[in-house]
Amino acid sequence: MAERDEVGERLATMLQHAAGSAEGQTEVTLRNLHAQDEATKAQREAIEVQRKAAEAEAKAAEASIASAKAAEKAAVVAERNAKYMLWSVLVAAISAIASAVAAYYSYWSAVHPR
């Protein structure tokens, strides 16, 4: 009978070790699952940040395109204004020449009356 008690005790000890081992493995598994859950949350947050960054980049690109179009229109207007300025300078030069000619004839008439 003593042998039977020893076998029973060994069996009980083995069951206690197995239960303790299973409990430890469960604890490790739970820790791993918790770590995986945290990692998944971090990945979701990173994805959200990347999505927002992509939206901001798209808006910046749209703003850049609008700015380029505005600069192009401004260049066209500046070119047109330069042409008008050139024509106005030519008209002013012709007007100045005509005024000088009129002043000359006026002086000539005053100095050399007929």
Side-chain angles (χ1 to χ4, degrees):
M1 277 280 204
E3 200 174 296
R4 214 173 192 203
D5 286 338
E6 282 182 32
V7 171
E9 282 182 34
R10 269 194 256 148
L11 185 59
T13 304
M14 287 172 46
L15 286 174
Q16 284 177 346
H17 285 300
S21 177
E23 187 178 315
Q25 287 177 347
T26 302
E27 175 104 11
V28 168
T29 302
L30 285 174
R31 284 187 201 155
N32 287 341
L33 287 175
H34 182 69
Q36 286 176 350
D37 186 45
E38 292 296 320
T40 302
K41 286 178 185 176
Q43 285 176 336
R44 285 183 187 152
E45 290 175 4
I47 289 169
E48 182 65 21
V49 167
Q50 287 176 340
R51 185 187 64 78
K52 288 180 180 178
E55 287 175 0
E57 271 187 53
K59 287 180 182 178
E62 289 173 7
S64 180
I65 290 170
S67 176
K69 287 180 181 179
E72 185 179 358
K73 287 180 182 179
V76 169
V77 169
E79 182 181 4
R80 189 179 320 134
N81 285 346
K83 287 178 184 178
Y84 292 151
M85 174 94 55
L86 178 63
W87 281 107
S88 70
V89 167
L90 287 173
V91 168
I94 291 171
S95 176
I97 291 171
S99 180
V101 168
Y104 174 76
Y105 280 118
S106 181
Y107 169 77
W108 186 258
S109 297
V111 174
H112 303 289
R114 287 190 188 180

